[in-house]
């Protein structure tokens, strides 16, 4: 799957037409409140709210962009500054003489995490960073007059964001130039994926350097390999791989053969080579390279690696006897922390899906099943309506058993040695805590999946309940 898995579609509603009138009258309400719209506030949204509250206390609320207090909470809209007041946006759209560009940027659910577009916060940051530049590149609205509002949606098949863009000056009122739009779409994809390329480059560099060290160490420790490399080197001249490739191709071929032998016989080296190759291809994917450009990218990376590995073999052949390393790499942790960054993102994505795709009664039903210990296939079917959870359930058949185990754990913790008053308090909090329980549920689904992936075994409830027991026990005191 290439970077083109980000799809951008644009339409223009010209001023004075029926579609233009519909944008402010119904389209805005549709994207703000339709089923699947993610209304949960991201961490960025909450941070801006706190800043706005402070600014209000200091008397600066009317001067700071985006600092207007939100009087109609519950919609999914966001813009360049935070969460706007919906009614003001609607009035602005109804009054503008500018054409309105209605856009949709979408990715398939199975690609969302890989592309860094899983949660609302990731979408907000991507759009705010890339969209103004995108509109400017179309050449239809001056940068200082670009105005836009967005809403992120989750469906059974995709994650997407609707964007309404218009000209605050009212000067824009024509169709988009097709040639510029095609180029702008490609650049938008590159801009959105740019933050993902840096960690991929880091992984590629780490794998490459570790592979170079492995080849050098293998030559140092194996006298026969060391002698084979030394015998291939010319008596005079530079011993750099690039020079040998030009002037002594036979020597280069021999060194390449030694390196290939080391990699084929060394399991760690094979793993590193595989990691390096995957990183190279992933980087090319994130740049949207295809055809000849992709071939040139891969060829240049392979040439660089051969040069580094050859120079490592030369350096080892010129050194004295190999010495024992003073330290050894520590063994990797047996399992990932329960709340690793990856799992936090997955958890947040599941919670956003639950809040957007499950009704209040369905969420409460899941909560009641967990609280009472009466988890059934019907509740598993509700969870399967969430795209991320459905994918994890498909990969790890042990998860339904873990869910049943979790329900009995929470039931014991919530309905155990608590006073009647505490049980009553718990019942009153059911509606408020149903979403929080879905968070716990998400963690169990995720942890069961990761253990299954790591150990290729089916985890039982006792493997997943350590932190959940502590969480569930605290429910009796009214905490999540």
């Amino acid at each position: 799957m290439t970077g083109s898995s980000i799809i951008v579609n644009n339409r223009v509603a010209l001023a004075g037409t029926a579609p233009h009138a519909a944008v402010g009258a119904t389209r805005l309400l549709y994207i703000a409140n339709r089923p699947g719209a993610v209304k949960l506030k991201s961490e960025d949204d909450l941070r801006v709210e706190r800043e706005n509250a402070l600014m209000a206390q200091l008397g600066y609320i009317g001067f700071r962009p985006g600092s207007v207090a939100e009087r109609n909470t519950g919609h999914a809209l966001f813009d360049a500054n935070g969460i706007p007041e919906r009614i003001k946006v609607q009035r602005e759209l109804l009054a503008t003489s500018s054409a309105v560009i209605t856009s949709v940027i979408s990715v398939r659910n199975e690609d969302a995490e890989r592309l860094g577009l899983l949660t609302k916060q990731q979408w907000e940051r991507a759009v705010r960073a890339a969209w103004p530049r995108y509109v400017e590149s179309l050449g239809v609205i001056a940068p200082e007059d670009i105005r836009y509002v967005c809403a992120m949606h989750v469906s059974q098949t995709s994650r997407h964001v609707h964007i309404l863009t218009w000209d605050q000056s009212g000067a824009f009122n024509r169709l988009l130039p097709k040639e510029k739009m095609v180029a702008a779409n490609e650049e938008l994809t590159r801009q959105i994926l740019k933050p993902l390329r840096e960690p991929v480059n880091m992984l590629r560099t780490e794998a490459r350097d570790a592979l170079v060290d492995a080849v050098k160490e293998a030559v140092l420790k194996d006298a026969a390999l060391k002698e084979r490399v030394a015998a291939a080197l010319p008596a005079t001249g530079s011993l750099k791989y690039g020079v040998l490739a030009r002037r002594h191709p036979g020597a280069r071929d021999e060194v390449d053969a030694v390196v290939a032998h080391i990699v084929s016989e060394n399991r760690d080296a094979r793993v590193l080579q595989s990691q390096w190759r995957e990183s190279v291809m992933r980087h090319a994917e994130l740049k949207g390279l295809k055809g000849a450009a992709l071939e040139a990218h891969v060829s240049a990376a392979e040439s660089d690696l051969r040069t580094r590995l050859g120079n490592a073999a030369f350096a080892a052949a010129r050194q004295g006897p190999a010495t024992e390393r003073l330290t050894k790499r520590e063994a990797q942790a047996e399992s990932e922390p329960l709340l690793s960054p990856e799992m936090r993102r997955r958890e947040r994505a599941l919670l956003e899906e639950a809040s957007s795709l499950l009704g209040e009664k369905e969420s409460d039903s899941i909560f009641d099943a967990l609280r009472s210990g009466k988890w059934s296939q019907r509740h598993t079917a509700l969870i399967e309506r969430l795209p991320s959870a459905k994918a994890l359930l498909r990969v790890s058949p042990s998860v339904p058993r873990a869910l049943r185990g979790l329900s009995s754990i929470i039931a014991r913790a919530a309905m155990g040695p608590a006073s009647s008053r505490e049980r009553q308090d718990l019942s009153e909090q059911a509606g408020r805590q149903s979403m929080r329980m879905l968070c716990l549920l998400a963690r169990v689904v995720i942890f069961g999946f990761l253990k299954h992936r790591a150990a290729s075994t089916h985890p039982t409830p006792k493997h997943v309940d350590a932190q959940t027991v502590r969480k569930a026990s605290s429910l009796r005191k009214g905490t999540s």
Side-chain angles (χ1 to χ4, degrees):
M1 190 67 62
T2 66
S4 61
S5 55
I6 295 179
I7 306 300
V8 185
N9 288 313
N10 296 315
R11 290 185 178 181
V12 176
L14 297 175
T17 64
H20 185 276
V23 169
T26 58
R27 180 74 177 178
L28 181 71
L29 298 178
Y30 172 79
I31 69 172
N33 297 295
R34 65 152 287 181
V38 178
K39 301 176 183 178
L40 283 182
K41 295 177 181 177
S42 68
E43 293 177 7
D44 286 352
D45 296 332
L46 296 174
R47 174 182 54 78
V48 171
E49 276 192 353
R50 291 192 296 269
E51 293 175 355
N52 290 344
L54 178 59
M55 297 296 284
Q57 292 175 6
L58 297 176
Y60 295 135
I61 194 70
F63 301 96
R64 184 175 182 273
S67 63
V68 177
E70 181 189 356
R71 297 184 179 87
N72 53 336
T73 58
H75 62 71
L77 299 176
F78 66 91
D79 62 12
N81 300 307
I83 297 178
E85 190 176 348
R86 183 192 58 76
I87 190 64
K88 287 188 176 181
V89 175
Q90 189 171 16
R91 289 171 181 167
E92 191 174 347
L93 281 168
L94 288 171
T96 185
S97 59
S98 164
V100 179
I101 306 171
T102 63
S103 308
V104 181
I105 306 175
S106 62
V107 300
R108 298 188 304 179
N109 283 327
E110 54 265 38
D111 298 329
E113 183 176 11
R114 178 178 58 84
L115 297 175
L117 295 172
L118 187 67
T119 67
K120 181 182 179 184
Q121 179 160 293
Q122 289 176 314
W123 276 100
E124 286 179 340
R125 292 180 175 180
V127 170
R128 286 169 179 156
W131 193 248
R133 183 181 301 180
Y134 174 84
V135 177
E136 182 181 356
S137 70
L138 294 174
V140 295
I141 303 176
E144 64 273 15
D145 291 325
I146 295 172
R147 178 84 166 91
Y148 66 90
V149 67
C150 319
M152 178 204 168
H153 292 177
V154 175
S155 72
Q156 296 291 340
T157 58
S158 72
R159 279 167 163 77
H160 51 276
V161 61
H162 292 261
I163 309 177
L164 305 179
T165 308
W166 65 99
D167 185 345
Q168 291 188 117
S169 73
F172 166 58
N173 193 30
R174 60 187 178 89
L175 299 179
L176 300 178
K178 186 174 181 180
E179 297 78 8
K180 285 189 175 182
M181 188 165 57
V182 171
N185 288 354
E186 295 177 353
E187 180 60 25
L188 178 68
T189 296
R190 285 192 288 269
Q191 287 297 320
I192 290 178
L193 300 182
K194 186 177 181 179
L196 301 183
R197 294 201 291 269
E198 183 175 345
V200 171
N201 278 336
M202 186 177 297
L203 289 174
R204 178 175 67 174
T205 300
E206 290 176 353
R208 181 199 66 196
D209 292 348
L211 183 57
V212 168
D213 289 343
V215 167
K216 186 174 182 178
E217 184 175 2
V219 175
L220 283 171
K221 288 184 174 181
D222 192 319
L225 289 177
K226 187 175 181 180
E227 177 60 29
R228 183 176 171 184
V229 173
L233 300 179
T236 60
S238 173
L239 297 183
K240 297 293 184 181
Y241 183 89
V243 176
L244 262 68
R246 294 191 302 271
R247 300 179 181 176
H248 306 280
R252 177 207 57 196
D253 293 343
E254 180 66 9
V255 173
D256 286 346
V258 170
V259 170
H261 171 78
I262 292 172
V263 173
S264 66
E265 296 297 321
N266 187 314
R267 179 182 178 278
D268 290 341
R270 291 198 303 274
V271 170
L272 290 170
Q273 186 183 57
S274 177
Q275 291 174 348
W276 173 85
R277 186 173 291 111
E278 289 174 3
S279 298
V280 169
M281 297 305 297
R282 175 74 172 130
H283 185 261
E285 173 188 1
L286 292 174
K287 292 188 71 174
L289 300 180
K290 302 176 186 178
L294 174 61
E295 292 179 5
H297 174 84
V298 174
S299 177
E302 290 177 342
S303 176
D304 174 73
L305 182 65
R306 281 196 303 272
T307 298
R308 291 174 184 272
L309 295 179
N311 284 332
F314 297 156
R318 294 196 298 266
Q319 291 185 18
T323 58
E324 293 293 329
R325 288 187 177 271
L326 298 179
T327 61
K328 293 183 179 180
R329 183 180 301 177
E330 294 182 357
Q332 186 176 3
E334 188 175 283
S335 62
E336 297 182 53
L338 186 58
L339 292 179
S340 66
E342 174 192 1
M343 294 178 68
R344 286 186 184 277
R345 285 193 295 273
R346 288 177 179 270
E347 176 188 81
R348 182 67 187 182
L350 278 165
L351 183 58
E352 289 177 356
E353 291 173 5
S355 69
S356 304
L357 300 177
L358 296 180
E360 184 176 350
K361 290 184 178 179
E362 294 165 327
S363 299
D364 288 346
S365 174
I366 292 173
F367 175 84
D368 291 339
L370 289 169
R371 190 165 60 96
S372 64
K374 298 179 180 179
W375 186 269
S376 67
Q377 180 59 37
R378 180 172 67 87
H379 299 103
T380 299
L382 285 176
I383 295 302
E384 287 179 337
R385 287 172 55 183
L386 310 181
S388 296
K390 185 176 181 179
L392 297 179
L393 287 165
R394 185 166 58 247
V395 172
S396 179
S398 65
V399 170
R401 184 166 68 253
L403 296 177
R404 291 193 295 272
L406 173 66
S407 67
S408 63
I409 293 164
I410 293 177
R412 289 196 303 271
M415 309 306 288
S419 67
S420 60
R421 176 60 184 168
E422 286 175 325
R423 288 196 295 270
Q424 182 179 356
D425 290 343
L426 181 63
S427 177
E428 292 173 353
Q429 295 168 5
R432 293 195 304 272
Q433 293 197 5
S434 59
M435 284 293 104
R436 295 180 181 180
M437 291 307 304
L438 283 170
C439 272
L440 287 179
L441 179 62
R443 292 183 187 180
V444 173
V445 172
I446 294 163
F447 197 54
F449 164 68
L450 290 177
K451 295 293 281 187
H452 174 81
R453 181 177 63 182
S456 298
T457 59
H458 292 176
T460 59
K462 67 180 181 179
H463 288 145
V464 300
D465 66 6
Q467 182 162 332
T468 304
V469 168
R470 295 194 294 272
K471 285 272 190 178
S473 298
S474 67
L475 288 174
R476 290 187 291 114
K477 300 183 182 296
T479 61
S480 63

